[in-house]
Amino acid sequence: MMRMTRAAIINLLASPYIEMAQLKGMNPMRVIVKHALPNALAPIINVIALNLAYLITGVVVVEVVFVYPGLGQLMVDSVAARDMPVVQGVALVFAAAYVFLNLAADVLATLSNPRLVHGR
Amino acid sequence: MGLTTGLFWLAVAVIVGLAAGWIFRAAVVAASPRPIARELRTAPLTASFGMLVILIYILLAVFAPLVAPFPETEVVGTEYQPWDDVHLLGTDNLGRDMLSRLIYAARNTVGIAFITTALAFTLGVMTGLLAASVGGWVDQVLSRVVDVLMAIPALIFALLLLTIVGTSIVNMILVIALIDSTRVFRLARAVAMNIVVMDYVEAARLRGEGLLRLNIREILPNAMAPLVAEFGLRFCFVFLMISALSFLGLGIQPPTADWGSMVKDNATLISFGDITPLLPAGAIALLTVCVNFVVDWQLHRASGLKE
């Protein structure tokens, strides 16, 4: 995520408007936060959404190893007990998390760019 | 070994690495024709070191049968032999020569990981740009298909697909590429969405540029930086995925050497204070760092940043 943010920001730092902001005498932190970051948000939001979704579904191993009573542990226990409805329910929650986070990322990425909000 | 000795050797390694990078850069600049030489002269030392190491890996992989002192799968000694003159890095848990397997594994692991990542990027970037530039129902269909593919946890989905199509190296490459391309698709689409609404893309559309040309000439160059950064990261994830699949017995099959399973096979040696099993892991780490060095340089070049 850090590398992605870095790449997205570096890509913008050569743009003329960044140079303009620097020549105005803005301090570098403000240039990056106010001028570069809003234009770099779309890929960053998507990578964050991917990582969040991975954290929700990917903790199964961690929860089982550390016996933490979470969704992953519940799923593994239900699989061991052949409790089909619970397995299906947990799988549904995991799948819904991915779809919902993807949707949220799309909406936020659209909101971050006025040109996309006010389409022609 | 104390902390100061460790720091000393670290400093020596960094200096030797940078020096090797400098010599390599000078040699390549002298050997290549003018336009390429001008580009290469701007490469920072880290990037030239990265290119040097990647070149060495490639050479080792291509000429593995000539370089390796012993065959890949032949048992040539007793189990867990220590380092000596004949077996430079000792032998593994079945008595196969460690150095030879390390060299042969470069061929399998690096080759497969690179092909997989390249495939995933071709597929993901193409569909992602298509979805962003056409929009409408094409975008909807592609995005929903990707949602469905991503909703199934990656490793379980890979196991499922490999069970259906059968276990072979070609199938594994295709399956991992398919799963990874969904992540690339999301990123490529998000980046391209922002570019599609730019004025120059509209101008290109009004001049009557076709969809393919629009995507390749106008959108792709401007979307390159995040994609290149993602390439460096994806490469490492593919490494891990292949190791995980090999561990579960569905990836690269046992007699063939690969770095992931070599760590697993010889892991018991670690508790005896022997660093041999860490060498394949170190090889993976070194390659990862070097790929990211080169990617960083390309990133700076793509963005046109001066300092």
Side-chain angles (χ1 to χ4, degrees):
Chain A
M1 201 161 86
M2 171 246 150
R3 289 198 80 86
M4 184 51 60
T5 310
R6 180 167 171 277
I9 299 267
I10 282 185
N11 195 30
L12 291 168
L13 281 186
S15 332
Y17 63 87
I18 296 293
E19 201 172 350
M20 173 69 200
Q22 279 166 348
L23 291 176
K24 266 194 322 199
M26 269 181 145
N27 70 14
M29 200 60 223
R30 208 170 140 78
V31 171
I32 286 178
V33 173
K34 287 214 55 152
H35 292 257
L37 193 57
N39 290 303
L41 270 181
I44 299 173
I45 289 174
N46 265 281
V47 173
I48 291 178
L50 283 183
N51 281 337
L52 267 182
Y54 176 73
L55 283 181
I56 292 175
T57 58
V59 287
V60 176
V61 178
V62 181
E63 280 179 3
V64 172
V65 170
F66 293 105
V67 201
Y68 185 87
L71 273 179
Q73 175 84 50
L74 177 66
M75 188 176 193
V76 172
D77 286 350
S78 325
V79 167
R82 308 267 159 151
D83 193 350
M84 273 307 166
V86 178
V87 177
Q88 285 173 345
V90 177
L92 198 63
V93 170
F94 283 165
Y98 256 107
V99 174
F100 174 74
L101 281 168
N102 275 353
L103 181 67
D106 272 349
V107 171
L108 286 176
T110 308
L111 284 182
S112 75
N113 189 344
R115 289 189 217 237
L116 288 173
V117 178
H118 309 286
R120 273 157 297 163
Chain B
M1 191 164 69
L3 185 65
T4 31
T5 1
L7 283 178
F8 171 73
W9 283 113
L10 192 66
V12 169
V14 168
I15 292 170
V16 168
L18 289 182
W22 189 78
I23 295 168
F24 177 68
R25 187 176 66 184
V28 172
V29 165
S32 51
R34 210 152 229 277
I36 303 175
R38 193 178 307 141
E39 291 290 341
L40 280 173
R41 201 168 294 145
T42 61
L45 285 181
T46 49
S48 23
F49 174 66
M51 281 189 290
L52 173 67
V53 172
I54 292 172
L55 188 70
I56 292 175
Y57 273 63
I58 293 172
L59 286 181
L60 279 183
V62 171
F63 297 110
L66 300 178
V67 182
F70 293 96
E72 180 182 5
T73 54
E74 199 176 309
V75 175
V76 289
T78 52
E79 297 94 34
Y80 296 130
Q81 239 168 279
W83 298 10
D84 59 31
D85 293 342
V86 185
H87 306 285
L88 286 178
L89 295 179
T91 56
D92 70 355
N93 60 333
L94 294 178
R96 296 168 295 193
D97 185 54
M98 196 75 185
L99 180 64
S100 307
R101 283 179 71 74
L102 211 55
I103 293 171
Y104 272 101
R107 179 180 265 192
N108 303 318
T109 316
V110 180
I112 290 173
F114 183 78
I115 295 172
T116 310
T117 323
L119 257 181
F121 264 76
T122 321
L123 189 62
V125 169
M126 260 168 40
T127 48
L129 292 187
L130 190 71
S133 57
V134 177
W137 65 269
V138 175
D139 184 18
Q140 284 301 322
V141 169
L142 283 174
S143 298
R144 294 300 82 78
V145 168
V146 164
D147 272 352
V148 171
L149 289 183
M150 284 176 73
I152 311 167
L155 197 58
I156 297 174
F157 195 38
L159 291 179
L160 185 73
L161 284 181
L162 278 176
T163 319
I164 295 172
V165 296
T167 310
S168 77
I169 288 182
V170 176
N171 282 342
M172 185 181 66
I173 291 176
L174 292 178
V175 164
I176 300 180
L178 177 71
I179 292 171
D180 262 19
S181 68
T182 58
R183 274 76 178 164
V184 180
F185 169 86
R186 295 283 313 170
L187 186 77
R189 181 171 165 277
V191 179
M193 282 294 245
N194 276 345
I195 299 170
V196 167
V197 292
M198 290 298 205
D199 293 337
Y200 54 80
V201 175
E202 199 171 344
R205 277 207 170 122
L206 291 175
R207 332 202 248 276
E209 283 190 8
L211 194 62
L212 189 69
R213 201 181 148 78
L214 186 77
N215 273 329
I216 293 177
R217 295 298 297 267
E218 307 288 339
I219 301 177
L220 189 58
N222 290 294
M224 217 53 202
L227 294 179
V228 168
E230 177 75 3
F231 188 92
L233 289 179
R234 270 294 139 214
F235 193 65
C236 320
F237 282 127
V238 169
F239 253 115
L240 293 179
M241 186 98 166
I242 291 176
S243 301
L245 283 177
S246 303
F247 182 83
L248 294 172
L250 282 170
I252 301 168
Q253 295 301 313
T256 317
D258 84 296
W259 288 334
S261 57
M262 283 171 73
V263 177
K264 185 193 70 187
D265 287 344
N266 302 303
T268 37
L269 275 184
I270 296 177
S271 41
F272 297 105
D274 190 340
I275 62 161
T276 313
L278 296 180
L279 288 174
I284 296 178
L286 184 65
L287 181 66
T288 310
V289 171
C290 288
V291 165
N292 278 318
F293 275 158
V294 177
V295 161
D296 268 357
W297 171 50
Q298 287 301 320
L299 191 63
H300 261 269
R301 245 166 48 89
S303 71
L305 204 63
K306 286 292 172 289
E307 67 267 35

